[in-house]
Amino acid sequence: MKLRITIIGSGFSALSAACYLAKDGYDVTIFEKNKTIGGRARQLKKDGFTFDIGPTWYWMPDVFERFFGDFGKHPSEYYQLEKLNPAYSVYFAKDDFITIEDTLGKICETFEKEEQGSSQKLKKFIANAQHNYDVAIKDLVYRPGVSPFELMTPVTIKKIDQFFSTIKKDVRKEFKNDRLAKILEFPVLFLGAKPDNTPSFYSFMNYADFGIGTFHPKKGMYEVILAMEELAKSLGVTIKTEQSVEKINVTDNKATGIVSNGETYHCDIVLSGADYHHSETLLDKVHRQYSEAYWEKKVFAPSSLLFYVGFDKKLENVNHHTLFFDVDFEAHAKEIYDTPKWPKDPLFYASFPSLTDTSVAPEGQEAGIFLIPLAPGLEDTPELRALYFDKIMDRFENLTSQNVKNNIIFKESFCVKDFIDDYNSYKGNAYGMANTLLQTAFLRPKLKSKKVNNLYFTGQLTVPGPGVPPSLISGKLVSELIKKHHTIKTYESAI
């Protein structure tokens, strides 16, 4: 008899867990509140344009290969991957930008032109980052965060100082050129915290950036979700959409099922891939592990104001990924993490996937995605969205020396309120809990409930942390934990 597992949500971590659990012989059903699967990685289609609503960066292809490889598959069986060259560009002033190309050799040449002697420092920095990558991505992040001893290996003990220094300190010690330093500090923003609050060990993100590179799945990141859906269904996973889960049922201190759209569904194990804080609100208070005070004290990754824009012409002086660092990073960071408020002069990011992929926009037109990082929990109104769109479009036109506002066919926006409404996201955060020193590994919310038997969690608020590759890993970790505690043999002997 198969153990029945109900999974709440259908993001990367939930789909990952579903695949592993179905492969191991469990009867798996996913309940997704939205019309389409994917969690934050959904898609917007309008007037011949296609936009990834959520993640747009494809880093760490080895993690995707490892995931599909666990099922005897390869990503190329589902979607086509292209390495971007250039990977991205960073604007610092009008017509003043640095372009990061697709090999470390080319990047070293770029650094050397900017600051004499910096290429040798960069090679040394990336060599250390690569070693950290090998330790972290190939080993440490595949541990379930149950015990601090998971972090204690002969290799990590030698790197203990890197857990008590910071990325910013290491970068600024070696690179005096502020522009180059900002580029090296940029990748850790994917971890949801400031460079001066991120342990040095996380320099492995720099290796992911400069050592491995940036990729694009043809037709967009949603192709990865569709690939995982196809794999999950081939393994026997049932997926139900437009199913809003209202309650996790607990009997005799054991999760026994869920209530969705007013109907009760019984199961043996409940796994939530939805927002962790929201998932616990589905429990009676006595069964919750973490108080509201606990969540209030945690450092969350930023929220975002996003715009999806259709242009009636091709744009100039931009790359597939383009960052705008022409304002004070420290001031913006303080307005996210220290004194949360709408930023006076925000940094922003833009993606133009149609520069690479002709399938996402009509011929001769451009798809643009613009993102402003924000503090979670801010007031979100149509007036504020409009104000900030005008702010960044004025700067965009000036920095890239082109007029585009009169070429906008349409724009759609997504912000704090939408993250809450669509994903039940805590304070509208965009991608989970930051990876600071005190929110790493065993110090993050647990995969397995400490209060309710047969209840588990996965996703960006638990281990290993924020981002798409960590979400894939989180699904694997929780599936292994479930398998450890709930084998079919154990279940049959109990009944």
Side-chain angles (χ1 to χ4, degrees):
M1 181 178 179
K2 286 188 175 183
L3 276 173
R4 294 168 299 169
I5 300 180
T6 289
I7 298 180
I8 303 171
S10 65
F12 282 106
S13 59
L15 287 170
S16 171
C19 290
Y20 284 111
L21 291 166
K23 179 189 174 189
D24 287 334
Y26 298 89
D27 182 353
V28 181
T29 302
I30 289 174
F31 287 75
E32 166 57 51
K33 76 183 286 285
N34 293 308
K35 291 181 180 180
T36 57
I37 66 165
R40 286 166 165 81
R42 291 185 299 154
Q43 209 173 43
L44 168 66
K45 291 189 175 186
K46 183 171 182 176
D47 297 346
F49 291 84
T50 301
F51 303 89
D52 282 312
I53 290 180
T56 55
W57 292 79
Y58 192 107
W59 274 6
M60 305 182 189
D62 50 311
V63 175
F64 295 84
E65 290 170 10
R66 183 166 175 176
F67 168 76
F68 285 104
D70 285 341
F71 303 91
K73 302 289 185 180
H74 190 273
S76 60
E77 296 177 53
Y78 299 96
Y79 53 88
Q80 299 174 33
L81 205 58
E82 178 179 349
K83 188 173 186 180
L84 296 181
N85 185 31
Y88 56 90
S89 57
V90 185
Y91 269 88
F92 295 97
K94 180 177 174 63
D95 302 323
D96 178 13
F97 56 89
I98 293 176
T99 297
I100 301 301
E101 295 186 76
D102 62 339
T103 69
L104 182 58
K106 294 176 186 176
I107 297 168
C108 283
E109 290 176 11
T110 298
F111 268 53
E112 194 64 26
K113 289 176 185 175
E114 185 72 18
E115 180 184 344
Q116 190 172 358
S118 63
S119 62
Q120 291 306 312
K121 293 178 180 178
L122 180 62
K123 288 176 184 176
K124 184 178 178 182
F125 184 83
I126 296 300
N128 180 66
Q130 180 176 2
H131 191 252
N132 286 352
Y133 190 92
D134 290 341
V135 173
I137 303 303
K138 297 178 181 178
D139 184 15
L140 288 186
V141 296
Y142 284 92
R143 301 186 182 195
V146 173
S147 163
F149 295 107
E150 293 173 3
L151 297 178
M152 297 175 67
T153 71
V155 175
T156 56
I157 288 172
K158 293 178 183 177
K159 291 178 175 285
I160 192 69
D161 60 314
Q162 292 191 36
F163 287 92
F164 295 97
S165 185
T166 68
I167 290 290
K168 181 170 184 175
K169 190 179 293 184
D170 288 3
V171 168
R172 297 284 170 169
K173 179 181 177 182
E174 296 296 332
F175 299 89
K176 304 309 177 187
N177 182 293
D178 185 60
R179 292 146 63 97
L180 297 183
K182 283 178 177 175
I183 290 172
L184 286 168
E185 291 168 353
F186 149 67
V188 301
L189 298 178
F190 285 105
L191 301 173
K194 294 188 293 184
D196 61 358
N197 201 23
T198 302
S200 301
F201 184 73
Y202 285 105
S203 68
F204 62 73
M205 293 296 291
N206 293 105
Y207 177 70
D209 181 4
F210 287 2
I212 302 176
T214 304
F215 297 78
H216 171 74
K218 187 173 182 182
K219 297 183 182 179
M221 286 292 288
Y222 198 68
E223 289 300 297
V224 186
I225 290 292
L226 295 178
M228 296 179 75
E229 177 188 32
E230 183 179 336
L231 175 62
K233 287 183 175 179
S234 73
L235 294 165
V237 175
T238 300
I239 300 176
K240 297 176 180 285
T241 55
E242 297 184 87
Q243 290 285 335
S244 183
V245 176
E246 298 137 18
K247 187 173 179 59
I248 297 173
N249 288 333
V250 177
T251 305
D252 297 329
N253 215 43
K254 181 188 293 186
T256 57
I258 62 166
V259 178
S260 178
N261 293 350
E263 187 174 347
T264 298
Y265 295 86
H266 298 286
C267 63
D268 302 296
I269 297 165
V270 174
L271 166 60
S272 183
D275 177 275
Y276 204 125
H277 169 269
H278 169 74
S279 300
E280 286 222 309
T281 67
L282 302 177
L283 295 162
D284 291 335
K285 211 166 189 177
V286 68
H287 298 307
R288 299 172 191 173
Q289 303 173 91
Y290 305 108
S291 66
E292 288 298 318
Y294 170 89
W295 296 110
E296 281 287 341
K297 291 176 183 176
K298 293 303 172 184
V299 179
F300 275 81
S303 184
S304 300
L305 170 55
L306 291 131
F307 296 102
Y308 311 99
V309 186
F311 295 95
D312 66 8
K313 69 173 185 178
K314 301 301 290 183
L315 302 191
E316 301 173 347
N317 305 324
V318 291
N319 287 312
H320 185 122
H321 296 298
T322 308
L323 304 162
F324 295 87
F325 284 8
D326 57 305
V327 297
D328 187 345
F329 173 85
E330 293 297 332
H332 189 181
K334 285 179 182 177
E335 290 164 333
I336 294 173
Y337 295 101
D338 303 331
T339 54
K341 60 184 176 182
W342 279 86
K344 181 182 176 184
D345 295 306
L347 286 77
F348 67 98
Y349 152 73
S351 174
F352 304 97
S354 47
L355 290 173
T356 302
D357 189 344
T358 58
S359 71
V360 301
E363 186 177 354
Q365 300 183 356
E366 207 84 89
I369 301 168
F370 296 82
L371 181 152
I372 303 172
L374 299 173
L378 295 182
E379 177 189 19
D380 173 15
T381 67
E383 292 77 17
L384 281 166
R385 296 189 190 195
L387 172 66
Y388 277 81
F389 183 74
D390 288 340
K391 272 179 181 273
I392 63 170
M393 292 312 296
D394 286 343
R395 277 170 51 203
F396 179 79
E397 287 190 326
N398 176 58
L399 291 165
T400 63
S401 295
Q402 62 185 319
N403 296 317
V404 300
K405 284 191 280 190
N406 291 333
N407 298 98
I408 294 173
I409 305 168
F410 66 83
K411 73 174 189 293
E412 299 285 345
S413 64
F414 199 94
C415 197
V416 174
K417 186 177 184 298
D418 301 300
F419 280 103
I420 295 170
D421 291 345
D422 288 8
Y423 311 131
N424 297 308
S425 170
Y426 181 70
K427 292 188 176 181
N429 79 80
Y431 52 105
M433 185 184 288
N435 260 338
T436 62
L437 176 62
L438 298 178
Q439 295 180 176
T440 293
F442 67 97
L443 296 173
R444 296 180 71 81
K446 302 300 182 186
L447 291 166
K448 184 178 186 296
S449 173
K450 296 176 290 186
K451 286 197 170 185
V452 178
N453 294 324
N454 299 12
L455 176 60
Y456 295 81
F457 303 87
T458 187
Q460 299 185 106
L461 270 71
T462 181
V463 291
V468 176
S471 292
L472 293 178
I473 295 167
S474 185
K476 179 172 185 173
L477 293 177
V478 77
S479 70
E480 290 173 345
L481 210 54
I482 289 171
K483 188 177 179 181
K484 176 182 176 182
H485 291 284
H486 306 275
T487 63
I488 303 296
K489 187 175 180 180
T490 300
Y491 175 71
E492 288 177 340
S493 63
I495 59 173

